[in-house]
Structure formats: C-alpha cells, structure tokens
Amino acid sequence: MSSGVEVQIVRVGKLTAVERAQMEALYRAHYEGASDAAFARDLDAKDLTILLKDGGQVCGFSTVVVYPFEGMRILFSGDTVVDAAHRNQAGLAGAF
C-alpha cells in the first residue's frame, strides 16, 4: 500500500463516472455473478459512499444509507469491498 492512501466521503449523486466504474470493477471482482444493473440499482439506492483510494484509484468502498430516527441519524452500511492489498488499514472504519 502506497503512502497515497486517502479516504473520501462522497454523496452517491456526486460520484464521477470513473469512480463508479472503479467501484463496479471491485464489486464484480469480489462478488460472483454480479451484474451491472444490480450494482447500479443498489448503489443508486444509497446516500453516501466511503471511498478508499490509493494514488487516485478506488481500492475499496462502502455504501451507506442514512435513516432519520427520533431526531437522530442511523447509518446502515450496504456493500463493502476492499482490495486484498488494502485490508489491513483503518481508513474505512475511521470514516464511519
């Protein structure tokens, strides 16, 4: 893992086409039988993404829905995928 690792929290509607494509590639690499349509449908149902990037390349992500509940906000983590080379770091957990 290079020193260029960073974490970004991005609203789903603000993801770039490149970020979405990189996220989908990671998803497809880790989930057998994943389809483009299912990935897009699931992602578009979320509010936020937590992106883990190394040198500008998405190497991990988690999708998040924010639910209001009795004056609070509850975070529900959807899909989470991290490339094997980046699993021993605390970036995504720290972003929550």
Side-chain angles (χ1 to χ4, degrees):
M1 183 165 48
S2 79
S3 61
V5 175
E6 65 177 311
V7 176
Q8 298 175 339
I9 300 173
V10 181
R11 292 197 174 279
V12 169
K14 299 288 184 177
L15 289 167
T16 67
V18 170
E19 288 168 333
R20 286 180 73 104
Q22 291 173 354
M23 289 171 65
E24 184 175 342
L26 269 175
Y27 182 84
R28 291 176 67 91
H30 291 83
Y31 289 99
E32 187 175 320
S35 73
D36 296 348
F39 174 80
R41 186 173 46 251
D42 185 67
L43 180 60
D44 290 338
K46 302 301 189 288
D47 298 308
L48 303 169
T49 58
I50 302 172
L51 301 177
L52 180 64
K53 291 185 172 184
D54 190 351
Q57 173 80 25
V58 175
C59 57
F61 69 89
S62 188
T63 59
V64 179
V65 176
V66 181
Y67 293 106
F69 178 74
E70 298 181 3
M72 298 179 289
R73 291 183 293 175
I74 297 172
L75 300 181
F76 168 76
S77 175
D79 295 319
T80 300
V81 179
V82 179
D83 183 72
H86 295 83
R87 289 187 185 149
N88 291 326
Q89 58 77 41
L92 289 180
F96 272 100

